[in-house]
């Protein structure tokens, strides 16, 4: 034992005290290195990076501050007492992305397959609590085999603590889940509770019950990727928002997404300087959007023409393609864009599109992101499957999300907006702050042909030439009730604008609405149609 005294010149140096600092450096080196070269080689052989390589890609250089690096489990039995690695299979801490603080936890698949035990979960709980308290985004780099079976119910309770904190943080700080390996059973519910889910093709999977269980119960044979791979969740289930071919690209896109989000629900999204003039006229729009309402076009090209430098990040790009949800900038300020996509199902709303757009509206509203809605919608998708699948309930989700949103909301009717879909897509009647329309707009209960067949059924059936009579009635209906200024005359559209002025009008309107303040009635919470 080293004895320290106060005599000048004779106090031992702290880093010489029994070699303790040398021992600390050795322990930290072992903890940082992980379980060894063989395990690292196996990880790389699967096309996967190690946990610290991933953190280095995500965070700014030398900005990572690790928490509880020397934590080890206390479990006994089933051979665990003989294997007590540092970190216990999860690396936690904070750092910066483009100079802004973020918190991160990342599974180390090389240790217990990244499986969650009591100490492992405790580390995650702590970093989640720190993120909530600090008001900064939380990113999880997931590569784990689920609960640590040897620790039994303690591991399951650890997941419960994560889910509870995911829910408490929802709408308070951005939560991003990056799937870089397997995620099975109850572990899959944490990503499902977060704001955004990223996946990497071929190496990441998510499912509640794996292929073996599926085969045993149903007799169906399927691979892990076929059951819960990135493409399945990006295009079929809608669980995954973004899917990429490799980890480097995936993590780079996480950094890009963070640049569009505020630190928490009390801040505005970060503005950015733009060389794209707010006065730029979008002359290309006249050629991109056909005047004929029955002709399809690519709404993505319209968005590209409107936003700064044509740059935007589409969310859920491969799921429910009949509606586009994207983050972009207008005049340097972040906006959320919801737009019908006439190239897919003519841009109708259906069950999946309603859910996709509703979730996006809620996210934008939670994090103070103004919403711009571009309408070209012929209605809701008709069909027995849609009705039996609950299109009423699912469509109401989008309606509820818009009605509940207090951020600035601007709608632009490009061509048609028919029926209930017009109301649901942020019409002025449900609280849009400003509504604009192009001269080609048609706002009505339904299309002219359908309306004429209902209103003038007797005249048409009793005419000598029913087709000619129908054509005349359609023309009359359009002239009376579907002309571009009908809605503006009744105050349901604030202005009819030239297409090439759309960018300038949106930027000016958003600048005016930046100080908007709106309070909802006092309540514990609403009861949305889940």
């Amino acid at each position: 034992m080293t004895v320290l005294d106060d005599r000048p010149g004779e106090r031992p140096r702290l880093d010489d005290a029994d070699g303790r600092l040398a021992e600390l450096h050795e322990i930290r080196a072992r903890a940082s290195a992980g379980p060894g070269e063989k395990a690292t080689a196996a990880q790389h052989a699967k096309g996967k990076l190690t946990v610290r390589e991933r953190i280095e890609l995500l965070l700014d250089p030398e900005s990572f501050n690790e928490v509880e690096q020397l934590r080890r489990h206390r479990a006994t039995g089933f051979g665990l007492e003989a294997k007590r690695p540092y970190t216990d299979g999860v690396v936690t801490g904070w750092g910066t992305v483009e100079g802004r603080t973020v918190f991160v936890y990342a599974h180390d698949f090389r240790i217990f397959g990244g499986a969650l035990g009591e100490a492992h979960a405790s580390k995650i709980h702590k970093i989640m609590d720190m993120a909530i308290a600090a008001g900064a985004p939380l990113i999880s780099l997931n590569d784990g085999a689920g609960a640590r079976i040897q620790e039994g119910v303690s591991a399951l309770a650890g997941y419960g603590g994560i889910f509870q904190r995911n829910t408490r943080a929802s709408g308070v700080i951005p939560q991003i889940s990056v799937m870089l390996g397997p995620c099975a059973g109850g572990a899959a519910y944490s990503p499902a509770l977060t704001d955004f889910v990223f996946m990497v093709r071929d190496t990441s999977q998510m499912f509640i019950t794996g292929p073996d269980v599926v085969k045993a119960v149903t007799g169906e044979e399927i691979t892990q990727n076929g059951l819960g791979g990135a493409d399945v969740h990006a295009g079929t289930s809608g669980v995954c928002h973004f899917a990429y071919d490799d980890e480097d690209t995936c993590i780079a896109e996480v950094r890009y997404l963070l640049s569009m989000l505020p630190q928490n629900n009390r801040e505005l999204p970060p503005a950015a300087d733009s060389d794209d003039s707010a006065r730029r006229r979008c002359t290309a729009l006249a050629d991109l959007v056909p005047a004929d309402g029955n002709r399809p076009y690519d709404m993505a090209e319209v968005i590209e023409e409107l936003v700064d430098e044509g740059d935007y990040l589409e969310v859920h790009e491969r799921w429910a393609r009949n509606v586009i949800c994207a983050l972009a900038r207008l005049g340097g300020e972040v906006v959320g864009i919801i737009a019908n996509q006439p190239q897919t199902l003519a841009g109708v709303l259906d069950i999946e599109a309603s859910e996709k757009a509703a979730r996006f509206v809620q996210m934008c509203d939670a994090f103070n992101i103004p919403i711009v809605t571009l309408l070209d919608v012929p209605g809701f998708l008709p069909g027995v499957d849609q009705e039996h699948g609950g299109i009423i309930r699912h469509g109401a989700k989008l309606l509820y999300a818009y009605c509940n949103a207090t951020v600035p909301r601007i709608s632009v009717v490009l061509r048609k907006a028919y029926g209930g879909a017009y109301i649901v897509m942020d019409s002025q009647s449900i609280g849009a702050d400003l509504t604009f329309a192009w001269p080609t707009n048609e706002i009505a209960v339904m299309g002219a042909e359908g309306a004429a067949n209902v209103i003038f059924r007797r005249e048409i059936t009793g005419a000598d030439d029913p087709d000619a009579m129908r054509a005349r009635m359609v023309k009359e209906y359009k002239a009376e009730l579907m002309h571009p200024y009908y809605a503006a005359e009744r105050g349901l559209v604030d202005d009819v604008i030239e297409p090439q002025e759309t960018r300038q009008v949106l930027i000016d309107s958003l600048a005016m609405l930046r100080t908007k303040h709106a309070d909802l009635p006092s309540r514990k919470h609403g009861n949305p149609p889940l």
Side-chain angles (χ1 to χ4, degrees), residues 176-516:
I176 301 173
S177 297
V178 189
M179 315 311 297
L180 302 169
C183 184
Y189 284 116
S190 177
L193 289 169
T194 61
D195 300 300
F196 298 98
V197 177
F198 288 72
M199 294 187 75
V200 177
R201 293 184 179 92
D202 298 327
T203 58
S204 63
Q205 303 88 27
M206 298 173 65
F207 36 70
I208 299 300
T209 54
D212 293 340
V213 176
V214 170
K215 182 179 180 181
V217 175
T218 69
E220 299 171 284
E221 292 192 16
I222 192 167
T223 64
Q224 287 194 348
N225 281 322
L227 181 64
D231 288 329
V232 169
H233 287 310
T236 302
S237 74
V239 171
C240 168
H241 299 78
F242 306 97
Y244 299 100
D245 292 330
D246 58 80
E247 292 190 18
D248 293 61
T249 304
C250 180
I251 293 174
E253 290 299 299
V254 173
R255 287 176 60 92
Y256 178 44
L257 172 61
L258 285 166
S259 74
M260 311 280 272
L261 301 175
Q263 290 292 91
N264 54 63
N265 64 341
R266 301 183 302 276
E267 297 184 6
L268 295 175
D273 294 332
S274 175
D275 294 329
D276 197 347
S277 172
R279 307 293 99 182
R280 172 170 61 82
R281 292 173 66 82
C282 302
T283 55
L285 291 177
D287 296 323
L288 291 176
V289 182
D292 182 354
N294 294 320
R295 288 183 58 192
Y297 62 94
D298 189 356
M299 182 66 82
E301 294 181 351
V302 174
I303 296 172
E304 186 175 340
E305 178 67 18
L306 288 174
V307 302
D308 292 356
E309 282 90 31
D311 189 24
Y312 64 93
L313 179 63
E314 187 170 352
V315 179
H316 270 143
E317 180 180 2
R318 299 182 58 203
W319 182 58
R321 294 187 178 187
N322 40 323
V323 68
I324 294 175
C325 298
L327 291 169
R329 280 191 167 86
L330 282 168
E333 302 289 343
V334 177
V335 297
I337 297 174
I338 297 100
N340 306 108
Q341 173 55 290
Q343 272 196 339
T344 302
L345 296 175
V348 298
L349 288 178
D350 61 0
I351 289 173
E352 292 186 345
S354 298
E355 286 195 339
K356 171 180 171 177
R359 178 67 188 245
F360 187 75
V361 169
Q362 288 182 164
M363 185 280 299
C364 289
D365 187 49
F367 295 116
N368 307 312
I369 300 172
I371 298 170
V372 173
T373 305
L374 304 178
L375 286 88
D376 192 346
V377 59
F380 282 94
L381 181 65
V384 175
D385 290 344
Q386 289 290 307
E387 297 296 342
H388 288 186
I391 184 61
I392 296 172
R393 176 168 50 87
H394 293 285
K397 293 178 183 179
L398 180 55
L399 180 61
Y400 188 98
Y402 268 126
C403 289
N404 204 46
T406 61
V407 293
R409 292 154 49 190
I410 302 174
S411 296
V412 183
V413 181
L414 275 60
R415 293 196 307 187
K416 56 188 176 294
Y418 295 159
Y422 153 66
I423 300 172
V424 168
M425 290 288 290
D426 207 18
S427 62
Q428 192 171 106
S429 60
I430 67 169
D433 295 296
L434 290 169
T435 303
F436 301 103
W438 288 3
T440 49
N441 83 84
E442 293 181 353
I443 303 175
V445 175
M446 62 175 66
E449 289 77 8
N453 285 333
V454 173
I455 298 173
F456 306 111
R457 179 171 37 231
R458 291 182 180 178
E459 290 87 341
I460 292 172
T461 56
D464 294 334
D465 187 345
D467 291 338
M469 176 61 74
R470 181 181 295 106
R472 187 164 70 84
M473 293 297 100
V474 167
K475 185 177 180 180
E476 181 177 323
Y477 182 83
K478 282 186 173 182
E480 291 294 325
L481 297 177
M482 294 181 66
H483 65 80
Y485 307 102
Y486 183 84
E489 290 170 1
R490 283 151 182 80
L492 299 175
V493 167
D494 291 292
D495 197 6
V496 178
I497 62 174
E498 297 180 37
Q500 56 265 36
E501 295 176 348
T502 306
R503 172 178 164 83
Q504 179 179 336
V505 168
L506 287 174
I507 291 174
D508 289 346
S509 300
L510 288 167
M512 178 274 294
L513 289 168
R514 196 163 296 135
T515 55
K516 174 188 175 183

Side-chain angles (χ1 to χ4, degrees), residues 27-89:
I27 290 173
R28 281 184 171 173
R30 292 210 312 266
S32 297
E37 294 182 1
K38 184 176 179 181
T40 299
Q43 181 84 345
H44 287 161
K46 297 174 185 175
K48 296 159 64 175
L49 300 175
T50 65
V51 61
R52 296 186 186 278
E53 289 170 340
R54 290 165 174 167
I55 291 173
E56 286 179 6
L57 279 177
L58 174 66
L59 301 178
D60 297 336
E62 300 182 1
S63 71
F64 184 54
N65 298 272
E66 190 166 351
V67 175
E68 294 192 351
Q69 183 185 37
L70 306 184
R71 187 72 179 267
R72 299 198 287 183
H73 72 77
R74 299 176 295 178
T76 59
F78 304 101
L80 283 178
E81 65 275 5
K83 188 177 182 183
R84 299 179 63 231
Y86 292 111
T87 74
D88 200 45

